[in-house]
């Protein structure tokens, strides 16, 4: 199969380049019996051919049996439970693979041991057409251009281009309704939406939907994944509004965290990573580090969730929280800066917040 | 057989009477295909594509590309009663309630991995043997478009099941789109039909995945094959092989049968993987929810290098005039892919410019015989490989007990140092292999026979290299070099007078100069003179 031994008589397939030939110097081994009828087509030894034929027939027989087994497996093995699906998968896949494999091996043996060895030569021609052809094409082209009047009639040419322009742009306009324009929607989350009863929106535990009583969330080092009440299953809302809620001892909090936005050491940060938007879901209690599992942006939860490592460029935005009259945690307002990944229109929203403060 | 059977004669005559197919067959039935294992790499990609079309069609019979919410009531007990999208539900249905559904789903996914893998291996073979050179530049460019489209096709495909892992991929896709200056926000809103995740992206990706991209792929693959057929395949250097012929086996019957067998081999291997190697067990991930993620989320392997680039990027971001350019997303998302793809696309033309070589090439070069090209290729592989590895830096960190941030820091340096080291090593290896070739030609090969001389000295008898091997080595082609040397009157050629021209000449000399010419490989080398004498005296070499 390799390029070294296209010379059929000197096939020594196992020989590595640079090692001596096993049957004496090759130079003395020029093709001895050039086949009389067709040069480059060397028939196989008839004894070997007979042996190979039996092998190939055997392999084809296996393919037949495996093919039958495949159909039988489809009928015999039903799906419905995990175990049954697994059994069906193994039976179908196993029989299919055996059928394909033995057919493949069979044909390969056929080609290599029954068909003759080939060393045929075909001429290659330059890809370029000859000069006469080029000249002819050139003249025909010019003649056609003249005949069509495209060159001569300027008005024709210009109005045609003019006519084509809006038609070419039309498809682009058709795509406009693919989506609404962004507007300022990336700057807001549902935390800023008014609730039905006009009261501040409660923080509820993701999954259970339970509101959180501040007094019950009292073990320092605790962490909760939190969603807005009323939007527990709204994926569009959750993609921006999901929070992580952390409980600190008062002395643990540093200047980066806005204490006015905390309640009794409870801090809420956006869970949506400011890098490309994965949920920053991992928390290391001893270091207060929040880690995004996608690209390992790391935020210091005790210090305003500022970036301590990784590709994220901005801290996780902090949500101003407080409690309602029943003692449940609520959002006092929306985030002051856009959550999630950066975008062109975002600007340095943090700096603006600092200026306004 | 004296005459073809009636069953063949009848239809063939019918077709020939109406289409004149005989002329085509006369020319092409015995078309010669040269033989080399590396010529089969592209076929792996081709056959994977065929398998993808077959299995993909099967999957569409049950898959429902809808993000509408349903409650799962299928047979996979752990998710019973869970709310999920219809897309995820139907993917579970295919896996557990359709006989052979799981098998076909896994075969489809494995075939996709092999499709891209086959394409990349094939592209590397083309690159390292210079098979992209004139007249094959067009096919090379088509190949690069195919590879790019295959990456997109993979991304749109693994996003469809709407499980937690595929959702994480979509989220990152959205984040990357948002980072594009000026139009990024609009692009994201148009793709997702509004805010992320919306209700449109799965059905839109579905159309792109099963119609748009496969259609373009099919058209371009057809063009790729026709051009290959018309231009005839390259061949390796060897006895009787020139730039003006093709030596090998005829299409009918040998190459046809071999190709058929290779398709079956590819299919069999993918079927084995699909049966025994579990892939993308979506039922373990659960339905997508933007608030959740599982640790060690990885994309399919061919997207790993983008993931790695995102991970090692420092947190750079520019805020100017109320606008934001998130370099920490933009650079890793665009630069590595852009470098590799643009570099590949331009390489044939840059090489032509540097060497001034405008001639046709049909003999594939051995990588060692063009050391700078090979070194550039290895350098690019290293660049890609480092990014790819770092796409799994959390897994590496967990398994090898290396600090997570250390892996990132290693990556930040390795991405610059690694390719440079790889370039140097690859270049030296090429030169070393060329020396070895020169030695094989001038000294022959070790015979394994030790002779004791009358004076007690032992020598090993050397024999000339086998003819096929020697011919293969002698097939080395000279790389053309532009001359910048002044002519007799001290005037340099016109092309070398400008600064760019001088640079071009210098590059040409560096790129094309043969450091190890064959035949007199060691003539200038004093320490080897003794050896030469020994060989000259009777084809022997002293045993060191």
């Amino acid at each position: 199969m390799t390029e070294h031994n296209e010379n059929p008589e000197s096939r020594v397939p196992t020989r590595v380049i640079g090692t001596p030939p096993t049957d004496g110097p090759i130079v003395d081994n020029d093709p001895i019996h050039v086949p009389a009828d067709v040069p480059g087509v060397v028939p196989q030894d008839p004894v070997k051919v007979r042996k190979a034929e039996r092998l190939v027939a055997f392999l084809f027989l296996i393919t037949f049996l495996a093919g039958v087994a495949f159909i039988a497996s489809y009928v015999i093995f039903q799906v419905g439970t995990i175990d049954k699906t697994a059994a069906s998968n193994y039976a179908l896949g196993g029989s299919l693979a055996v059928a394909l494999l033995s057919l493949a091996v069979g044909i390969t043996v056929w080609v290599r041991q029954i068909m003759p060895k080939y060393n045929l030569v075909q001429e290659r021609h330059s890809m370029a057409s000859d000069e006469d052809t080029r000249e002819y094409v050139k003249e025909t082209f010019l003649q056609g251009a003249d005949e069509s009047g495209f060159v001569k009639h300027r008005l024709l040419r210009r109005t045609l281009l003019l006519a084509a322009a809006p038609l070419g742009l039309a498809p682009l306009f058709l795509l406009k309704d693919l989506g609404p324009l962004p507007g300022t929607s990336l700057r807001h989350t549902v935390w800023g939406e008014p609730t039905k009863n006009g009261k501040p929106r409660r923080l509820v535990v993701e999954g259970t939907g339970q509101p959180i009583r501040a007094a019950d969330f009292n073990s320092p080092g605790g962490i909760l994944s939190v969603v807005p009440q009323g939007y527990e299953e709204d994926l569009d809302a959750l993609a921006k509004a999901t929070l992580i809620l952390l409980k600190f001892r008062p002395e643990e909090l540093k200047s980066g965290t806005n204490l006015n936005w905390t309640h009794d050491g409870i801090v809420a940060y956006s869970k949506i990573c400011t890098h490309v938007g994965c949920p920053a879901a991992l928390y290391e209690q001893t270091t207060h580090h929040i880690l995004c599992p996608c690209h390992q942006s790391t935020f210091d939860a005790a210090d305003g969730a500022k970036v301590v490592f990784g590709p994220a460029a901005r801290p996780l935005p902090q949500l101003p929280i407080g409690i309602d009259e029943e003692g449940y945690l609520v959002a006092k307002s929306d985030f002051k800066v856009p959550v999630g990944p950066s975008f062109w229109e975002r600007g340095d929203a943090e700096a603006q917040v600092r200026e306004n403060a | 057989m004296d005459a073809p059977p009636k069953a063949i004669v009848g239809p063939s005559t019918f077709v020939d009477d109406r289409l004149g197919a005989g002329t085509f067959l006369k020319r092409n039935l015995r078309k010669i295909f040269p033989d080399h294992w590396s010529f089969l790499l592209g076929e792996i990609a081709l056959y994977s594509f065929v398998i993808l079309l077959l299995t993909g069609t099967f999957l569409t019979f049950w898959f429902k590309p809808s993000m509408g919410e349903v409650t799962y009531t299928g047979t996979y007990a752990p998710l019973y009663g869970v709310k999920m999208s219809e897309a995820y539900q139907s993917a579970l249905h295919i896996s557990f309630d359709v006989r052979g559904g799981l098998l076909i789903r896994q075969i489809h996914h494995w075939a996709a991995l092999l499709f891209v893998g086959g394409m990349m291996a094939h592209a590397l073979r083309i690159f390292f043997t210079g098979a992209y050179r004139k007249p094959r530049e067009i096919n090379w460019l088509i190949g690069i478009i195919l590879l790019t489209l295959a990456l997109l096709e993979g991304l749109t495909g693994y996003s469809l099941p709407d499980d937690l892992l595929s959702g994480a991929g979509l989220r990152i896709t959205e984040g990357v789109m948002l980072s594009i200056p000026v139009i990024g926000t609009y692009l994201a809103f148009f793709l997702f039909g509004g805010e992320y995740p919306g209700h449109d992206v799965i059905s839109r990706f579905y159309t792109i995945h099963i119609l748009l991209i496969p259609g373009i792929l099919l058209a371009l693959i057809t063009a790729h094959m026709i051009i290959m057929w018309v231009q005839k395949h390259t061949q390796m250097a060897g006895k009787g092989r020139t730039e003006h012929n093709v030596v090998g086996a005829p299409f009918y019957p040998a190459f046809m049968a071999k190709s058929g067998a290779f398709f079956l081999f590819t299919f069999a291997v993918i079927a084995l993987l699909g049966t025994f190697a579990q892939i993308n067990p979506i039922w373990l991930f659960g339905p997508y929810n933007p608030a959740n993620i599982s640790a060690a989320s990885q994309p399919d392997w061919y997207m790993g290098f983008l993931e790695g680039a995102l991970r090692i990027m420092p947190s750079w971001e520019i805020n100017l005039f109320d606008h934001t350019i998130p370099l920490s997303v933009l650079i890793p998302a665009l630069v590595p892919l852009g470098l590799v793809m643009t570099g590949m696309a331009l390489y044939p033309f840059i090489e032509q410019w540097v060497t001034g070589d405008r001639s046709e090439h049909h003999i594939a070069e051995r990588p060692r015989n063009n050391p700078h090209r090979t070194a550039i290729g290895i350098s690019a592989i290293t660049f890609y490989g480092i990014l790819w590895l770092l796409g799994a830096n959390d897994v590496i960190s967990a398994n090898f007990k290396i600090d997570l941030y250390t892996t990132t820091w290693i990556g930040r340096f390795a991405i610059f140092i690694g390719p440079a080291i790889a370039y140097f090593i690859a270049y030296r290896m090429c030169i070393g292999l060329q020396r070895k070739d020169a030695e094989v030609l001038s000294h022959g090969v070790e015979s394994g026979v030790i002779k004791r001389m009358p004076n007690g000295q032992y020598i090993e008898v050397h024999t000339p290299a086998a003819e096929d091997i020697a011919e293969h080595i002698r097939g080395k082609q000279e790389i053309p070099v532009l001359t910048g040397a002044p002519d007799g009157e001290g005037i340099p050629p016109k092309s070398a007078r400008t600064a760019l021209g001088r640079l071009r000449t210098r590059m040409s000399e560096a790129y094309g100069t043969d450091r190890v010419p064959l035949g007199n490989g060691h003539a200038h080398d004093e320490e080897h003179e003794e050896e030469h004498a020994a060989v000259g005296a009777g084809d022997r070499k002293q045993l060191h």
Side-chain angles (χ1 to χ4, degrees):
Chain A
M1 288 289 279
T2 76
E3 78 282 10
H4 308 313
N5 42 33
E6 81 284 356
N7 188 4
E9 285 78 15
S10 62
R11 266 179 190 262
V12 192
T14 49
R15 208 170 85 241
V16 176
I17 190 165
T19 59
T22 45
D23 52 357
I26 287 277
V27 275
D28 299 340
N29 202 15
D30 274 331
I32 304 156
H33 40 267
V34 174
D37 42 358
V38 191
V41 182
V42 185
Q44 303 275 3
D45 173 6
V47 182
K48 278 186 189 161
V49 168
R50 269 193 298 280
K51 236 166 108 183
E53 186 188 359
R54 280 196 294 274
L55 177 61
V56 173
F58 174 70
L59 287 163
F60 286 177
L61 203 61
I62 292 180
T63 300
F64 168 73
L65 293 174
V68 172
F70 181 84
I71 295 167
S73 306
Y74 189 84
V75 179
I76 294 167
F77 292 92
Q78 298 298 316
V79 289
T81 66
I82 298 178
D83 289 339
K84 279 181 170 176
T85 304
S88 158
N89 185 55
Y90 288 134
L92 287 172
S95 52
L96 177 66
V98 170
L100 293 170
L101 203 59
S102 64
L103 191 57
V105 175
I107 296 175
T108 309
V109 174
W110 185 350
V111 175
R112 294 184 68 96
Q113 297 189 12
I114 297 177
M115 288 190 196
K117 298 277 174 226
Y118 292 100
N119 197 29
L120 295 172
V121 181
Q122 203 166 36
E123 290 304 304
R124 224 187 251 284
H125 308 284
S126 167
M127 292 313 298
S129 27
D130 55 64
E131 272 311 312
D132 289 347
T133 311
R134 288 187 177 197
E135 192 58 30
Y136 175 80
V137 170
K138 188 180 111 191
E139 267 155 26
T140 314
F141 172 77
L142 291 176
Q143 187 188 349
D146 278 345
E147 285 167 0
S148 74
F150 191 79
V151 183
K152 197 171 156 196
H153 303 285
R154 205 166 46 180
L155 191 63
L156 253 177
R157 200 167 62 226
R158 293 194 173 168
T159 46
L160 178 65
L161 285 176
L162 189 72
L167 276 182
L169 286 174
L172 283 179
F173 280 87
L174 275 182
L175 291 177
K176 164 61 192 69
D177 278 352
L178 277 174
L181 295 181
T184 59
S185 53
L186 285 179
R187 297 182 175 273
H188 310 294
T189 73
V190 294
W191 290 113
E193 302 282 319
T195 54
K196 277 181 201 145
N197 53 16
K199 292 177 182 164
R201 190 174 296 282
R202 278 181 179 167
L203 281 63
V204 298
V205 178
E206 190 220 327
T208 67
Q210 286 294 313
I212 306 147
R213 201 187 290 275
D216 294 343
F217 188 53
N218 55 8
S219 55
I223 176 171
L224 278 178
S225 185
V226 166
V227 295
Q229 192 171 42
Y231 291 95
E232 292 88 344
E233 278 161 13
D234 182 338
L235 298 189
D236 287 6
L238 296 186
K240 286 193 302 185
T242 307
L243 304 176
I244 31 178
L245 196 69
L246 302 130
K247 168 81 178 178
F248 288 99
R249 289 188 198 87
E251 69 274 13
E252 287 172 332
L253 286 171
K254 292 177 204 151
S255 61
T257 307
N258 188 330
L259 290 177
N260 295 332
W261 295 351
T262 67
H263 174 81
D264 191 23
I266 301 174
V267 193
Y269 294 115
S270 165
K271 194 180 180 179
I272 309 304
C273 185
T274 54
H275 179 221
V276 283
C278 291
L282 302 176
Y283 184 60
E284 196 178 44
Q285 220 183 76
T286 48
T287 56
H288 304 138
H289 283 178
I290 300 167
L291 179 83
C292 177
C294 281
H295 308 105
Q296 289 111 38
S297 294
T298 311
F299 307 90
D300 186 353
D303 196 6
K306 72 169 193 201
V307 182
V308 289
F309 193 82
R314 291 175 290 100
L316 298 169
Q318 188 186 345
L319 183 76
I321 55 168
I323 52 170
D324 59 14
E325 62 267 32
E326 292 174 65
Y328 288 108
L329 289 173
V330 294
K332 289 203 288 194
S333 75
D334 199 355
F335 289 100
K336 299 296 179 194
V337 297
V339 300
S342 298
F343 50 96
W344 170 248
E345 296 87 352
R346 187 182 189 280
D348 196 351
E350 281 77 6
Q352 283 165 9
V353 171
R354 278 195 300 274
E355 277 168 34
N356 297 341
Chain B
M1 251 190 324
D2 294 328
K6 263 197 185 136
I8 293 175
V9 173
S12 328
T13 313
F14 179 89
V15 172
D16 190 47
D17 284 349
R18 281 152 188 85
L19 301 174
T23 322
F24 176 80
L25 292 179
K26 182 188 165 196
R27 262 187 296 130
N28 287 304
L29 272 180
R30 291 295 253 191
K31 190 180 179 66
I32 299 303
F33 281 83
D35 209 358
H36 190 258
W37 66 267
S38 69
F39 298 169
L40 298 177
L41 295 170
E43 289 190 39
I44 295 179
L46 177 68
Y47 300 143
S48 301
F49 182 69
V50 174
I51 295 166
L52 283 167
L53 288 183
L54 295 175
T55 52
T57 306
F58 177 90
L59 294 174
T60 61
F61 294 154
W62 287 276
F63 181 71
K64 296 188 179 67
S66 154
M67 295 171 91
E69 197 182 73
V70 292
T71 305
Y72 183 68
T73 54
T75 50
Y76 182 64
L79 286 176
Y80 192 86
V82 172
K83 284 182 182 162
M84 56 182 62
S85 69
E86 215 180 340
Y88 185 55
Q89 186 204 36
S90 63
L92 290 174
H93 178 74
I94 292 171
S95 308
F96 290 110
D97 300 301
V98 176
R99 277 177 283 172
L102 179 64
L103 179 69
I104 300 296
R105 232 199 82 223
Q106 302 209 106
I107 287 181
H108 191 71
H109 205 133
W110 273 115
L113 300 192
L114 216 65
F115 179 47
V116 184
M119 287 173 102
M120 286 194 187
H122 171 61
L124 288 174
R125 198 285 289 175
I126 301 290
F127 181 82
F128 284 123
T129 59
Y132 55 78
R133 288 174 298 174
K134 190 179 172 186
R136 295 184 175 76
E137 302 99 320
I138 298 172
N139 238 10
W140 171 250
L141 292 177
I142 291 178
I144 292 164
I145 300 171
L146 283 173
L147 181 57
T148 317
L149 285 174
L151 296 183
L152 265 177
E153 179 71 348
L155 173 76
T156 50
Y158 71 62
S159 298
L160 289 181
D162 205 23
D163 56 283
L164 191 58
L165 183 64
S166 81
L170 269 180
R171 179 96 230 205
I172 296 170
T173 309
E174 190 238 355
V176 167
M177 289 186 94
L178 283 181
S179 77
I180 300 169
V182 188
I183 55 166
T185 323
Y186 291 85
L187 282 181
F189 270 65
F190 286 167
L191 177 65
F192 289 89
E195 287 204 72
Y196 178 86
H199 290 90
D200 296 324
V201 67
I202 300 278
S203 49
R204 287 177 184 177
F205 269 23
Y206 185 68
T207 311
I208 296 171
H209 181 75
I210 71 157
L211 178 70
L212 188 61
I213 300 181
I216 304 173
L217 282 175
L218 197 59
L220 287 178
I221 289 173
T222 310
H224 204 67
M225 311 292 352
I226 291 175
I227 292 175
M228 182 273 290
W229 188 281
V230 169
Q231 295 184 329
K232 299 195 176 85
H233 209 283
T234 53
Q235 59 188 347
M236 293 291 178
K239 196 184 166 203
R241 298 171 187 201
T242 68
E243 293 282 7
H244 306 287
N245 70 10
V246 196
V247 180
F251 178 73
Y252 172 79
F255 185 76
M256 218 169 77
K258 265 194 229 176
S259 285
F262 196 56
F263 169 71
L264 293 166
F265 271 121
T266 311
F267 203 167
V269 167
I270 294 176
L272 278 174
L273 287 166
T275 310
F276 297 105
Q278 187 183 69
I279 187 161
N280 202 24
I282 49 162
W283 55 90
L284 298 179
F285 306 146
Y288 179 60
N289 179 327
N292 293 327
I293 184 123
S294 44
S297 291
Q298 307 283 338
D300 274 356
W301 77 268
Y302 43 85
M303 285 291 170
F305 78 111
L306 289 175
E307 179 80 357
L310 281 168
R311 288 180 185 203
I312 61 169
M313 185 68 198
S315 56
W316 297 348
E317 180 166 304
I318 297 173
N319 278 295
L320 265 184
F321 309 114
D322 284 341
H323 287 295
T324 302
I325 304 174
L327 295 178
S328 64
V329 184
L330 202 58
I331 290 180
L334 297 184
V335 172
L337 188 66
L339 269 181
V340 173
M341 292 297 184
T342 320
M344 281 170 80
L346 293 181
Y347 199 85
F349 306 101
I350 295 176
E351 188 181 60
Q352 270 175 28
W353 182 74
V354 167
T355 58
D357 184 4
R358 296 279 186 274
S359 55
E360 281 191 15
H361 293 276
H362 301 287
I363 298 270
E365 250 177 327
R366 298 173 82 198
R368 67 186 62 175
N369 289 336
N370 196 326
H372 279 290
R373 176 204 292 148
T374 303
I376 289 169
I378 297 289
S379 193
I381 292 177
T382 311
F383 177 77
Y384 180 94
I386 288 171
L387 290 179
W388 181 78
L389 262 182
L390 285 155
N393 71 333
D394 49 346
V395 180
I396 293 170
S397 164
N399 283 333
F400 296 100
K401 311 274 178 264
I402 307 167
D403 177 56
L404 184 64
Y405 300 153
T406 309
T407 62
T408 310
W409 274 111
I410 291 173
R412 284 172 181 175
F413 286 102
I415 198 59
F416 297 105
I417 301 167
I421 295 175
Y423 189 100
F424 177 76
I425 293 176
Y427 183 82
R428 294 313 313 174
M429 279 176 76
C430 287
I431 299 294
L433 287 166
Q434 283 193 38
R435 290 211 174 110
K436 177 73 192 166
D437 283 349
E439 192 186 304
V440 166
L441 284 190
S442 58
H443 297 239
V445 290
E446 293 164 4
S447 65
V449 178
I450 308 288
K451 238 186 186 176
R452 191 180 171 188
M453 305 302 283
N455 61 1
Q457 183 193 29
Y458 288 94
I459 59 157
E460 183 179 8
V461 180
H462 272 228
T463 54
E467 194 194 11
D468 50 357
I469 291 170
E471 283 295 325
H472 186 55
I473 294 173
R474 276 192 210 102
K476 177 176 176 179
Q477 306 154 19
E478 223 170 272
I479 309 166
V481 178
L482 291 172
T483 173
D487 60 13
E489 290 160 26
I491 304 163
K494 213 173 182 184
S495 61
R497 278 176 217 166
T498 59
L500 188 66
R502 280 192 293 276
L503 175 73
R504 183 183 176 194
T505 322
R506 266 211 303 281
M507 280 168 75
S508 188
E509 272 162 16
Y511 194 82
T513 304
D514 194 353
R515 315 269 169 218
V516 193
L518 290 179
N520 56 344
H522 292 285
H524 56 281
D525 227 338
E526 296 232 333
E527 56 182 313
H528 286 99
E529 249 170 30
E530 203 182 329
E531 259 179 41
H532 265 283
V535 172
D539 262 5
R540 284 161 316 197
K541 181 180 164 188
Q542 235 165 348
L543 195 68
H544 293 289

